Amino acid sequence: MPELKTRMLFISHAWQYDNAYLTLVKWFNEEPNFFWRNCSVPSTDAFPDKTTAGLARGITRQINPAQGVLIIAGMYAAHSGWIDYEILEAKRLGKVIIGIRPWGQERLPIKVQEAAHVLVNWNSSSVISTIRAYI
C-alpha cells in the first residue's frame, strides 16, 4: 500500500491549454489512496493584482507551500515567460520539479529538460507513481 500522505503540488500550465491541467487534476482526484492539495492557480481563480510584480508575488506565494512543481512540457512552454519564472522560483525555493511529456510529443523544451529532476510520460500511472517516488 502506498504511503498515505498529502502531497502539495503546483501544476505549471498555460491557461489557454487548460485541458492538460484539468486532466491531471482529474487523475489525482480519482486515484485511490492519493491525497493532494492543489497549490496551482486555475484559470477560474486568477490573481487580483494583474501587474507583472503582482502576478510574480502571487505565483511565488502559490509555489512556496508546494513540495513539487509539475511542468506540462508542451512546446508552448518554450515561449512562456511565466513558465520561466515558475521554474526559477521552484529552483530557488528548492522544490522537486517533475516534467511531464504531453501525449504524443517527441520534442520538449530544453529549459524543462534541464530543470526537471525527472521527466515522465503522459499517463496517470506514470505521473502518479513518479510523484509518489519523488515527493
Side-chain angles (χ1 to χ4, degrees):
M1 162 102 81
E3 185 179 346
L4 299 179
K5 63 181 182 178
T6 301
R7 289 165 170 92
M8 309 279 284
L9 304 173
F10 179 91
I11 304 168
S12 174
H13 65 289
W15 285 351
Q16 63 266 40
Y17 302 100
D18 236 8
N19 286 341
Y21 166 82
L22 294 172
T23 297
L24 287 174
V25 169
K26 181 178 182 281
W27 287 349
F28 300 161
N29 288 339
E30 292 177 352
E31 179 67 18
N33 300 316
F34 185 81
F35 302 103
W36 76 295
R37 186 172 135 218
N38 192 348
C39 298
S40 317
V41 184
S43 60
T44 57
D45 191 23
F47 297 125
D49 185 349
K50 305 279 191 261
T51 66
T52 299
L55 292 171
R57 280 190 303 273
I59 289 170
T60 298
R61 196 171 42 250
Q62 296 300 120
I63 291 174
N64 196 43
Q67 296 162 299
V69 173
L70 309 178
I71 301 172
I72 303 166
M75 286 310 292
Y76 63 85
H79 308 289
S80 171
W82 286 113
I83 291 178
D84 291 346
Y85 181 80
E86 292 166 351
I87 288 171
L88 290 172
E89 281 299 274
K91 288 171 129 182
R92 184 182 72 80
L93 295 168
K95 307 302 177 177
V96 173
I97 299 174
I98 298 173
I100 302 171
R101 186 178 291 109
W103 179 257
Q105 186 164 314
E106 293 179 20
R107 294 179 49 219
L108 297 178
I110 296 296
K111 64 183 163 190
V112 176
Q113 292 178 53
E114 290 175 348
H117 291 88
V118 63
L119 291 168
V120 62
N121 289 326
W122 180 261
N123 68 64
S124 61
S125 61
S126 292
V127 173
I128 291 170
S129 65
T130 300
I131 292 168
R132 284 184 167 134
Y134 282 81
I135 299 172

